[in-house]
């Protein structure tokens, strides 16, 4: 039994040593996901929702999927001897996650603030800018936005 435990510890240590170049990205994403979870929980409590294990579990599953994807991309890049490009890929996936989860954090934060308060206005402005809602005000973008064509549905 001791030999088996030693093998498991050695393999786990080797795996984490392989992932050491993306350790900072993973720590940053862990903080982002924790903040997202806390703001989601606070917004749910503030809006009178009851605790949902399913909702919390889905949050953890999404985190697990993200970490598995980022680790897989880096490991494949490492074994293809393109570690620098793999780091760039992981970095851009982290930026995409920061955008998606950042907008979710701002939306939940706005739900926590009193409408009309300075904090509500500040968070609303940040959410407005981050979700690129201001682009909809330009006529050219309304013209270029995809609209369903009635001819295609026939």
């Amino acid at each position: 039994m001791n030999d088996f435990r030693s093998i498991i510890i050695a393999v786990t240590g080797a795996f984490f040593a392989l992932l050491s170049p993306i350790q900072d990205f993973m720590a940053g994403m862990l903080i982002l996901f924790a903040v997202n979870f806390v703001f989601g929980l606070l917004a749910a409590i503030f809006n009178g929702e009851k605790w949902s294990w399913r909702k919390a579990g889905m949050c953890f599953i999404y985190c697990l999927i993200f970490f598995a994807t980022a680790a897989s991309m880096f490991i494949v890049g490492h074994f293809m001897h393109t570690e620098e490009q793999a780091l760039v890929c992981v970095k851009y996936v982290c930026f995409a996650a920061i955008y998606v989860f950042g907008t979710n954090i701002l939306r939940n934060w706005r739900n926590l603030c009193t409408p009309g308060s300075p904090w509500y206005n500040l968070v609303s402005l940040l959410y407005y800018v981050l979700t690129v809602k201001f682009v909809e005000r330009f006529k050219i973008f309304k013209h270029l936005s995809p609209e369903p064509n009635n001819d295609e549905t026939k």
Side-chain angles (χ1 to χ4, degrees), residues 26 33 57-72:
M26 296 296 115
F33 292 141
M58 288 306 296
C59 178
F60 291 119
I61 288 173
Y62 291 147
C63 294
L64 179 67
I65 290 171
F66 173 81
F67 288 128
T69 302
S72 298

Side-chain angles (χ1 to χ4, degrees), residues 95-110:
F95 284 150
I98 289 169
Y99 174 75
V100 170
F101 288 99
T103 55
N104 191 41
I105 290 168
L106 284 174
R107 183 176 54 82
N108 287 330
W109 188 7
R110 190 176 64 175

Side-chain angles (χ1 to χ4, degrees), residues 5 14 16-17 34 60 64 68-69 89 96-97 131 133 136 144 147:
R5 194 177 309 160
F16 285 126
F60 291 119
L64 179 67
T69 302
C89 289
T131 55
K133 296 279 188 188
E136 295 173 357
L144 296 175
E147 296 179 12

